[in-house]
Amino acid sequence: MIKFRFKLDKVLRVRQLKVNLAKKALAGALFCYQNEQARLDQTMVVYLQASETLCQRETAGITAGDLRAARVYLDRVAEEVAVRQGAVKAALSRVDESRGRLVQAMKEQDSLEKLRDRRHQAYREEIQRQEQKVLDEVRTK
């Protein structure tokens, strides 16, 4: 009896490696996204605190020089928030890109696995026919 051998087994292994690499790339992209999101959250906290401090100082009375310095600081923190938002958006884009590559790699792997399964099923059916043929020959003799 001939042992089943899938001729595209090496290609299937390459596809499996491609899926594993895509998973690792997605994990890395998610890690970067989470870090950027945490940085944005921290910057937003600083902005809200600075804004609240400025409002409190305005109601309590503040000199023009202090008001200007506080406004400059608040503007700088607002620019930092905008930069962080851009970084988060870029990181999210990389996550989406990585997820798309993973989905594509998984589709390619699945198609080869289905082909292997169909060929293995055909192999088993052929073996079963041959065994039945031998049994029929034995019965007739």
Side-chain angles (χ1 to χ4, degrees):
M1 191 177 336
I2 301 170
K3 184 178 175 186
F4 174 74
R5 186 173 166 275
F6 184 53
K7 293 179 181 179
L8 298 174
D9 198 39
K10 290 181 181 179
V11 175
L12 179 58
R13 275 191 252 136
V14 168
R15 298 280 167 88
Q16 290 168 340
L17 288 173
K18 189 176 179 181
V19 167
N20 289 338
L21 289 174
K23 284 179 181 179
K24 288 178 183 178
L26 178 58
L30 282 169
F31 180 75
C32 289
Y33 169 72
Q34 290 169 347
N35 282 342
E36 291 298 334
Q37 186 64 47
R39 287 179 181 171
L40 173 63
D41 293 344
Q42 290 172 349
T43 307
M44 287 295 294
V45 167
V46 169
Y47 178 78
L48 292 174
Q49 288 173 345
S51 179
E52 187 176 307
T53 301
L54 179 61
C55 287
Q56 289 173 354
R57 291 175 76 188
E58 284 177 343
T59 58
I62 189 172
T63 64
D66 288 343
L67 180 62
R68 180 178 164 93
R71 287 277 178 199
V72 167
Y73 176 71
L74 193 60
D75 290 344
R76 188 177 63 78
V77 174
E79 288 174 8
E80 182 69 21
V81 167
V83 168
R84 294 287 179 206
Q85 286 173 336
V88 167
K89 188 175 179 179
L92 187 59
S93 172
R94 286 190 299 273
V95 166
D96 291 340
E97 200 175 284
S98 295
R99 187 173 287 126
R101 284 194 299 268
L102 176 60
V103 167
Q104 182 61 35
M106 290 176 80
K107 283 180 183 178
E108 292 171 0
Q109 178 185 354
D110 287 345
S111 65
L112 274 178
E113 286 177 344
K114 287 178 183 178
L115 178 62
R116 181 192 61 199
D117 292 344
R118 284 193 304 264
R119 288 191 180 168
H120 191 255
Q121 179 64 29
Y123 164 79
R124 286 192 308 236
E125 290 171 0
E126 180 61 29
I127 294 296
Q128 216 171 20
R129 276 194 291 273
Q130 289 175 1
E131 288 175 353
Q132 188 62 42
K133 185 178 176 183
V134 169
L135 287 175
D136 289 346
E137 286 177 8
V138 168
R139 269 192 236 148
T140 57
K141 291 185 180 182

